[in-house]
Amino acid sequence: MEMAHDIITDADFRRLTKAPAPGKYLLFGDEDYLKAYSAQSVRRTLCPDESLAPFNCISIDRAGYSAAALRSALTPPPMFVGCKTVSVTLTFDDLRPGEINELCELLADGSLFEYNFLMITVPAGGIDA
């Protein structure tokens, strides 16, 4: 499945994090610290009330990842804010072809991104550019 994409710079992404709007982003490259810092900036902006973080700031690591788990995280609307953040950390080399297809199908479902700021973070060396 081929999907349209734009590559933006780290500086562009940092500007975007000042007023995050729904969308889906793949954070990749050699600088894991910058990716973590950018993801944390989005979290601080979209989750100013830590008591609502379980509803508005969801994180999924590789051990907890499945397309079903990601869909479950994306489906409920945010609480008391216009946009929530869902963070996934994946190494694509570890995904089976079926998992990659499921992820692509999920990413193509526009209805899931009306109020979600999805960040898929790939550790350095975890994806073939």
Side-chain angles (χ1 to χ4, degrees), residues 39 58-61 85-89 117-121:
I58 295 131
S59 294
I60 301 171
D61 62 11
T85 180
V86 177
S87 250
V88 181
T89 302
F117 189 102
L118 172 64
M119 293 178 291
I120 299 176
T121 304

Side-chain angles (χ1 to χ4, degrees), residues 33-124:
Y33 173 78
L34 289 176
K35 291 179 281 189
Y37 178 80
S38 295
Q40 188 60 25
S41 294
V42 171
R43 187 183 194 297
R44 279 192 305 272
T45 302
L46 292 177
C47 299
D49 183 347
E50 280 298 316
S51 69
L52 295 174
F55 307 102
N56 295 333
C57 296
I58 295 131
S59 294
I60 301 171
D61 62 11
R62 178 60 183 118
Y65 174 78
S66 70
L70 180 54
R71 183 175 293 279
S72 292
L74 293 168
T75 301
M79 294 190 78
F80 307 114
V81 293
C83 184
K84 73 179 184 188
T85 180
V86 177
S87 250
V88 181
T89 302
L90 289 177
T91 301
F92 283 79
D93 294 342
D94 292 341
L95 294 178
R96 295 183 307 270
E99 289 178 304
I100 292 173
N101 290 338
E102 289 173 340
L103 175 60
C104 288
E105 288 173 12
L106 191 142
L107 292 173
D109 184 350
S111 68
L112 292 173
F113 299 98
E114 294 173 7
Y115 47 76
N116 288 300
F117 189 102
L118 172 64
M119 293 178 291
I120 299 176
T121 304
V122 181

